[in-house]
Structure formats: structure tokens, C-alpha cells
Amino acid sequence: MAAQTGQDKSQELFEDVGKKVEKLQLEHEGADTSGIGDGHDADDRVVDEIESLCMNCHENGTTRLLLTRIPYFREVILMSFSCPHCNLQNSEIQSAGQIQEHGCRYNFTLSGKSDLSRQVVKSDSSIVKFVELDVEIPAGRGRLTNVEGLLTGLIEDLEFEQPARRSLNSDLHAKIEEVLSKGRKMLEGERFPFTMILDDPAGNSWVEPSMEKHDGRLARSEYKRTAEQNEALSLSGSGTDTAGPKVSGMQTRAAPNLQEGNGDDNNFTSEIVPDEVYSFPTSCPGCSKSCVTHMKMVNIPHFKEVVIMSTVCDHCGYRTNEIKTGGALPSMGRRIVLRVRNPEDLARDILKSETCAIFSPELSLTVQPGTLGGRFTTVEGLLTQVRDDLRAQIFDVGDEDEDEKGGDSVPAKQRERWGKFFAQMEKAIKGEMNFSIVLEDPWASSYVQSLCAPDDDPQLVVEDYERTEEENEELGLNDINLEDYTEEVKAVESIDPDKKQPYKETTDVEAEAPGSVA
């Protein structure tokens, strides 16, 4: 009940911009505004004004605050300051929500002038990098703008000190002029394509998606914050229970230590037992206090052994689960095509690794690698997760009127397309339509349950394919050097015996998967 009350209060405070404008117009006309929005009183102000000190002339100026919601995103606070004495003006945006459980990273490849108009929310903790310019915008003032605005601001900041650099450091001046020349050509549309990366440890930044193109040029991924990033966000827990959290209600064992085996082969041995639950202390990514991670190794029939990891924090309620696959790196990627024809197909087990992309032509669905992380669920569960995540980003919470879903800033045609998309997703989840789902994994670590194993399943097609150069680069395979590896190790050991590492000679190409448990 309390949670519902808090949600209703949030919806009252953070209305769509259209409702805010309508209220403001009626206020200027002297009309009653109680019927607009979610039951506000007529005395409520749309824009709050606060007298504040101007840091330029030290006279009093005015700060205006607007609480609103951005379609496809979440609640934000827009702030604008103006000083009547020195005419200083600036604006800023801050997220009104909480710091997210994971950081987010957007990788956007721009291919035309229309992409420069994509809306961008840059929080005060995010970093923006233009790869071709090799220049990044550091964390600082939050902004609600578009790609063109970010690039223009970057160019203006670099131009500001150029006259002084010409006399003080001519070499630096020349190098920055090269960057400025490239940046101007990007704005004029003469240097497409180019790439922008938006990285936010707080998870409160955003790049507007497109309903027109599904070519994978915009990829969003989530990641766990490091201890340094938590420290920068003031999430380091104070007064942490040094004894660690108590584990109850589950038969667990302490995580085994990996110990060096006896003998001359120098192989590592472990005490990890399949189907046994292990627990070990860790720090919560949400509040940095101590919590427990449970780990279990499971053997998936006709596939391989995987490690299921689950973390629950009793302090802040954070919870997550992950799937880690290990073993040797296959020489080829794997593509799995499942034709869903009945409810039994929706109940198939499915393992989606972190490197796996998902496609469904019938549903117009594309999920880029890195999205959703590793998942071990069913086909129905995976589609439900995708639907819920997209709905939370696209449609505003609390919009009961179908015509207002997505907010007033979403064009009617685009709102209609999203409505049809979610209607198709609902039919697929309920088993009311036939569709296919494609899992494409360059690491070949994804799996769909076969109902006819070990015989061939007529509705399941599994094929291997050659990885592209881009996929090898993404996985870091182009940097792996296996030629004369054992000789290099022996050379290092002969120089410094303390650096001795166990190894085994092999003629096969082997590499451990990222994040796998040895």
C-alpha cells in the first residue's frame, strides 16, 4: 500500500511535458487547473522558481525547476538559471530516480544526418567519447540534448582556448585544429559513419532508439560497477558488517579454494562438486555492503557444464542471477533457430550467454549482445523479460489511457507502431501465433533444449558459422598469441622463478571464456 502511494505521488509530481504546458496555459488564463493531470490543486505551480546566487557577478538570480518525464526513459528534473544583472544563463538536467543496479553503456554508430537529432540524456556521472576524434567529454553537468548538441558543445569548448594555445604551444594548437576540422565535418555530414560511446556507471543516461531502423547501430549493455565507481557515486557502505551476512535456509558449503595439485604436471585441482551449492561473501553492487553470492555448477544435458550464480542483499534488496559458461573456445560461432509452434516450445529451457544476440523476424525483435546479460530461463520467460524491459523504457508508468501511452512527446504514428509491437509480443508469449527465434552466439555458449534428444528435433536448427573479423575483435581473439607460447613462459621462468606459472602444452586453440569459472 505504501509503495503504491509513493508511486502515485511520483506520478503526480512528474507529469508529461504536455500536461505541464496545458496547466501553465490555463494558469496564465486564470482558469482552474484542478482537472488537469492527476488531481493537483489550483495553487500548484508548474515551474518552481528559487532565488539563488549568481556565481558570475555574485548578485541574486533565479533558478527554475521543472519536474517531468521523458518518453523511453524516466523521471528527470530540468533546471534553468538566469541572472538579470550579468545576463548569465545555463541549464542542467538531473535524474530524479535512484542510482540503477548496474551501469549502462551505449555504443551508437551514426550513418546519416538524421542520427545527429537523436535525443540524449547525459547524467552528471556519465562520460561521452567520440571514437574517431579520440576525445571524450568527462563526467560533469547533466544535459538533455541531442548528438549534434554534444558534438557542438565539444567543438566550442576546444575552440575557446585556441588563440592562447597558438602562442603558448603551437604543436598542441595544430593537433587540436585537426580534431576541430574533423568535428566540423562530422556536423556537416561529410565524415559518416562515426561512433559515439556513452558510459554511465549510475545507469541514468540514455540514447533515443529508432523505430525505423533495426540494423544494430545502437547497442546498449549493462555492467557491474567497480569499487572505484561505487566510491565515486558515494555508494561505499559505511558501517559494513565485517563479520559478513548470515546465511540461512539453505544447505551451503564455503566456496572451495583452488589449490595447486601435487606432482610434476602442475595442474590445478578444485573441489567444486556438481549440483552442490556454494556460498561466499561479496560486496553488493547497489549499496556496497556485505552480502552473499551463491554458486552452483549444473550439467545441462547435451550441452556443457555451466555455473549459476545468485546474489541477494539483505540491506538494500538488490538481487540478481547470472550464468557463466566455461571450457575451451570453439573454433566457430553457433546459430540456433527455434520454430515456436505450440505451448511446449514456449516451455523449452534456453540459455542465453552474454555474447549472444537474439532475432525474431515475425516479432520485429532484435536484442544486441550484452543486453540482459546471461540468462537461463524458458522461451516464454525470455520473451517476457524483453517485453517488460522495453515497456518500462517506452511506455510511461501510470498511463492508463492507451492514447497517452509513451507520453505526449511520442508521435502518434510511432506510438501506434509500438502498440502493435507489444500486441505481437503478447500473442507470442500466450502461444497464439507461430514465430521463430534466432540465437546467434560467436562464443557458441548458448543453448536451446531439444525435445527429441539425442535424435534431431524438426523444429530446432543448430548450425556453426565462421566468426567475422569484427566478432573476433569484440571477443579479443585477435590479440591472443599462442605461437611459441610455452617457450615464452619458460624464458620468463628462467629470468624470474617467482613468476612461474602452470601450463600445459597443446596443439589445439584453447582460450577460457570471459567470466568463466575455472
Side-chain angles (χ1 to χ4, degrees):
M1 184 68 179
Q4 183 64 34
T5 303
Q7 185 177 356
D8 293 341
K9 184 65 177 176
S10 174
Q11 294 170 13
E12 291 177 6
L13 293 174
F14 297 92
E15 294 179 324
D16 296 328
V17 175
K19 294 179 182 178
K20 295 277 190 180
V21 172
E22 188 176 352
K23 284 186 60 179
L24 189 61
Q25 184 178 3
L26 291 176
E27 283 180 7
H28 284 307
E29 295 173 355
D32 181 17
T33 61
S34 58
I36 308 297
D38 296 317
H40 287 278
D41 296 328
D43 295 334
D44 285 350
R45 303 190 63 171
V46 177
V47 178
D48 294 314
E49 296 186 356
I50 304 172
E51 189 177 41
S52 52
L53 179 67
C54 174
M55 301 307 296
N56 187 44
C57 67
H58 302 289
E59 297 287 343
N60 284 337
T62 302
T63 296
R64 294 176 175 84
L65 304 176
L66 175 65
L67 283 66
T68 186
R69 284 183 291 175
I70 296 178
Y72 307 103
F73 192 50
R74 56 175 68 94
E75 296 87 353
V76 296
I77 301 175
L78 301 178
M79 296 179 287
S80 174
F81 173 80
S82 61
C83 177
H85 305 282
C86 65
N87 296 321
L88 175 69
Q89 294 185 350
N90 60 46
S91 59
E92 187 174 348
I93 183 173
Q94 286 188 359
S95 173
Q98 61 184 1
I99 295 176
Q100 305 304 305
E101 294 179 353
H102 296 90
C104 68
R105 177 184 173 95
Y106 289 88
N107 194 309
F108 181 32
T109 301
L110 291 85
S111 62
K113 275 199 167 184
S114 60
D115 291 332
L116 292 171
S117 302
R118 293 279 192 103
Q119 198 172 36
V120 176
V121 175
K122 179 189 178 299
S123 77
D124 54 6
S125 60
S126 64
I127 296 172
V128 177
K129 182 175 181 179
F130 290 94
V131 177
E132 285 74 12
L133 297 179
D134 197 20
V135 176
E136 70 178 32
I137 304 173
R141 182 168 58 93
R143 298 181 63 184
L144 172 59
T145 180
N146 54 23
V147 179
E148 182 179 4
L150 288 174
L151 189 53
T152 302
L154 174 63
I155 292 174
E156 291 175 351
D157 290 343
L158 290 175
E159 286 178 335
F160 183 72
E161 297 290 342
Q162 276 298 81
R165 293 189 190 103
R166 181 183 289 110
S167 57
L168 296 176
N169 191 333
S170 59
D171 292 339
L172 179 60
H173 175 271
K175 291 179 180 179
I176 293 181
E177 275 299 322
E178 292 180 9
V179 174
L180 290 173
S181 177
K182 292 180 181 178
R184 296 187 190 103
K185 289 182 178 179
M186 287 177 177
L187 287 175
E188 294 168 1
E190 299 177 5
R191 289 189 66 91
F192 289 117
F194 63 90
T195 302
M196 182 191 76
I197 297 175
L198 175 60
D199 193 327
D200 185 6
N204 285 324
S205 293
W206 170 79
V207 177
E208 180 186 5
S210 172
M211 277 293 293
E212 305 299 328
K213 298 179 180 179
H214 304 279
D215 49 10
R217 293 184 298 110
L218 175 61
R220 181 184 186 276
S221 58
E222 295 183 345
Y223 61 87
K224 286 187 176 181
R225 287 185 289 269
T226 64
E228 291 77 12
Q229 289 172 329
N230 277 328
E231 183 76 26
L233 295 172
S234 302
L235 291 178
S236 296
S238 57
T240 302
D241 184 9
T242 56
K246 295 180 180 180
V247 183
S248 60
M250 183 181 295
Q251 295 295 324
T252 62
R253 296 174 57 183
N257 294 321
L258 297 179
Q259 300 175 343
E260 191 172 345
N262 297 325
D264 297 331
D265 56 355
N266 286 330
N267 286 327
F268 277 76
T269 60
S270 68
E271 299 176 2
I272 296 180
V273 179
D275 296 325
E276 187 80 29
V277 179
Y278 297 93
S279 300
F280 51 90
T282 187
S283 296
C284 173
C287 65
S288 294
K289 294 185 178 181
S290 59
C291 59
V292 171
T293 293
H294 302 294
M295 179 180 74
K296 181 179 180 181
M297 181 177 288
V298 177
N299 183 20
I300 298 180
H302 310 288
F303 186 51
K304 63 171 73 173
E305 286 186 332
V306 299
V307 175
I308 302 176
M309 305 180 72
S310 172
T311 302
V312 178
C313 179
D314 295 332
H315 301 283
C316 66
Y318 172 85
R319 60 177 63 234
T320 185
N321 60 78
E322 294 181 76
I323 300 291
K324 301 292 185 182
T325 58
L329 169 65
S331 59
M332 304 179 72
R334 177 160 295 176
R335 184 180 296 107
I336 304 174
V337 181
L338 172 64
R339 301 182 184 90
V340 180
R341 297 293 182 265
N342 50 59
E344 287 74 19
D345 293 327
L346 290 171
R348 292 180 189 241
D349 290 334
I350 185 170
L351 170 62
K352 176 202 170 296
S353 75
E354 295 178 347
T355 57
C356 178
I358 301 175
F359 309 97
S360 179
E362 294 84 357
L363 301 178
S364 301
L365 175 67
T366 301
V367 179
Q368 297 298 323
T371 309
L372 301 177
R375 298 273 175 171
F376 185 39
T377 178
T378 61
V379 175
E380 180 183 0
L382 184 64
L383 293 177
T384 301
Q385 183 70 48
V386 172
R387 178 203 62 188
D388 293 346
D389 286 359
L390 280 175
R391 186 181 290 275
Q393 293 184 40
I394 306 303
F395 284 170
D396 286 326
V397 178
D399 285 338
E400 296 181 0
D401 189 346
E402 287 292 331
D403 294 333
E404 295 185 0
K405 281 187 177 293
D408 59 276
S409 299
V410 180
K413 184 178 295 185
Q414 200 172 114
R415 187 185 299 118
E416 182 182 355
R417 291 188 63 182
W418 278 116
K420 290 180 179 178
F421 170 79
F422 285 115
Q424 286 285 92
M425 289 288 290
E426 289 289 347
K427 291 177 63 178
I429 292 172
K430 294 178 181 178
E432 298 175 357
M433 64 174 290
N434 297 335
F435 64 96
S436 60
I437 184 169
V438 182
L439 278 69
E440 194 168 288
D441 189 354
W443 210 275
S445 294
S446 296
Y447 158 84
V448 176
Q449 180 186 11
S450 172
L451 301 181
C452 304
D455 299 327
D456 292 338
D457 191 327
Q459 293 175 215
L460 189 65
V461 178
V462 180
E463 59 183 8
D464 294 335
Y465 67 92
E466 290 283 349
R467 283 188 291 266
T468 64
E469 279 297 316
E470 291 78 9
E471 289 174 331
N472 285 329
E473 184 66 29
E474 284 270 323
L475 298 173
L477 300 181
N478 293 337
D479 300 325
I480 295 179
N481 179 23
L482 297 178
E483 295 182 0
D484 302 324
Y485 172 69
T486 55
E487 284 74 9
E488 291 180 9
V489 173
K490 292 175 181 177
V492 172
E493 292 174 0
S494 64
I495 297 173
D496 187 355
D498 294 335
K499 292 185 178 180
K500 183 176 181 180
Q501 297 290 335
Y503 66 92
K504 62 177 182 177
E505 296 186 7
T506 178
T507 56
D508 296 328
V509 178
E510 286 190 340
E512 191 175 319
S516 62
V517 178

